[in-house]
Amino acid sequence: AYDKYISAENHLLARDSLERAIEIDPQFDEAWAHLSWIYTDEYVHGFNLLPEPMERALAAAQKGVRLAPGNYHNHWLLSRVHYFMSDKGLFLAESQKALDLNSSDGTTLGLIGMYTAYTGDWERGMDMMSKAKLLNPNFPAYYHLITANAHYVEGEYDKALEDLLKADLSSFPLYLYLLAACYSALGRSRDAAANIEDLRQLLPDATLATARKTLERFYPFLPELVDHICEE
């Protein structure tokens, strides 16, 4: 599944599959809602980018909610679009609707917790993450990225690195940016250089400017974190 193995290749497969699904059944609410995730990641990560990704993401998420307003998952995916459109109020409102409808889905709770933490409310977000891990012991590897971020913010670079190595998301640019920053902060310049070379293999045209842009898109409410990663 794309959410467990985030890469440009899997992103394209997911987009093609979901777009075929809504061609077959235009009333398939969860296909519309999940398309919003895929379209958003065109904008955030640059995966298989087509014109107006966030406009398409918002329209798809809103259609999913209109088709099935009682589906908590659709509200969660709409909240995710609002997060990446830098609208904290609408993100919090839609994510709360999702939790009011169902707070026992570990995957959804964990993801809402992740983005809640990234709005700057680390305590509430990490509490959600802890509950999500109890509900879903087979949680995706990127959960470790979230705890790594929390440690990094606190200056606990050794703990951040430990969590990142558990995640092992080597095809995910955001992971590589944070890994390089951790190595640098720990004075492990040789490891940092090797990691940057891995990043260049994945993204040959990557520069500090493009890295900053990706980080700013992923962390719209945490400019200090973006600055810190880029400075390392």
Side-chain angles (χ1 to χ4, degrees):
Y2 172 68
D3 69 325
K4 289 190 177 181
Y5 304 101
I6 299 172
S7 68
E9 181 181 9
N10 287 336
H11 175 272
L12 185 59
L13 290 171
R15 188 174 69 189
D16 288 346
S17 297
L18 288 167
E19 288 182 338
R20 283 198 301 272
I22 61 170
E23 285 178 8
I24 294 169
D25 181 5
Q27 304 303 306
F28 190 176
D29 63 286
E30 287 208 10
W32 282 107
H34 278 86
L35 263 175
S36 75
W37 181 312
I38 299 302
Y39 291 157
T40 298
D41 280 10
E42 293 178 36
Y43 164 76
V44 177
H45 305 302
F47 290 160
N48 308 296
L49 184 62
L50 294 173
E52 300 182 335
M54 292 310 297
E55 289 82 352
R56 286 183 283 116
L58 181 60
Q62 289 174 332
K63 182 153 188 175
V65 169
R66 285 198 305 272
L67 288 169
N71 188 325
Y72 72 97
H73 210 245
N74 297 349
H75 286 283
W76 136 240
L77 287 167
L78 177 56
S79 79
R80 183 179 187 268
V81 174
H82 289 311
Y83 170 90
F84 284 112
M85 295 184 82
S86 302
D87 194 321
K88 184 176 178 179
L90 287 177
F91 161 73
L92 292 173
E94 284 298 327
S95 61
Q96 189 58 54
K97 287 179 185 177
L99 294 175
D100 288 343
L101 289 165
N102 185 349
S103 61
S104 299
D105 179 343
T107 299
T108 300
L109 179 62
L111 287 163
I112 290 175
M114 176 179 78
Y115 291 110
T116 299
Y118 291 165
T119 66
D121 192 345
W122 290 96
E123 183 176 357
R124 181 168 180 257
M126 296 308 294
D127 181 62
M128 289 183 190
M129 290 292 308
S130 296
K131 292 176 181 176
K133 288 178 179 179
L134 293 175
L135 290 167
N136 179 20
N138 188 31
F139 55 84
Y142 60 76
Y143 277 28
H144 295 298
L145 179 62
I146 304 154
T147 53
N149 272 282
H151 288 307
Y152 188 88
V153 166
E154 294 298 321
E156 300 169 343
Y157 304 121
D158 52 346
K159 292 182 180 179
L161 178 60
E162 182 180 346
D163 277 333
L164 285 171
L165 295 176
K166 289 178 184 176
D168 189 22
L169 298 168
S170 56
S171 63
F172 189 32
L174 192 75
Y175 167 82
L176 295 174
Y177 294 142
L178 190 58
L179 187 58
C182 280
Y183 280 136
S184 181
L186 290 167
R188 294 172 57 173
S189 56
R190 186 170 298 177
D191 288 324
N195 190 71
I196 290 170
E197 185 57 34
D198 290 341
L199 180 60
R200 286 175 177 155
Q201 292 292 322
L202 182 65
L203 298 172
D205 298 327
T207 64
L208 182 58
T210 59
R212 176 177 284 277
K213 186 173 291 187
T214 298
L215 291 164
E216 287 173 343
R217 288 172 175 172
F218 200 84
Y219 303 114
F221 306 105
L222 298 173
E224 299 88 355
L225 176 61
V226 173
D227 288 342
H228 193 178
I229 294 172
C230 290
E231 286 166 5
E232 293 291 352

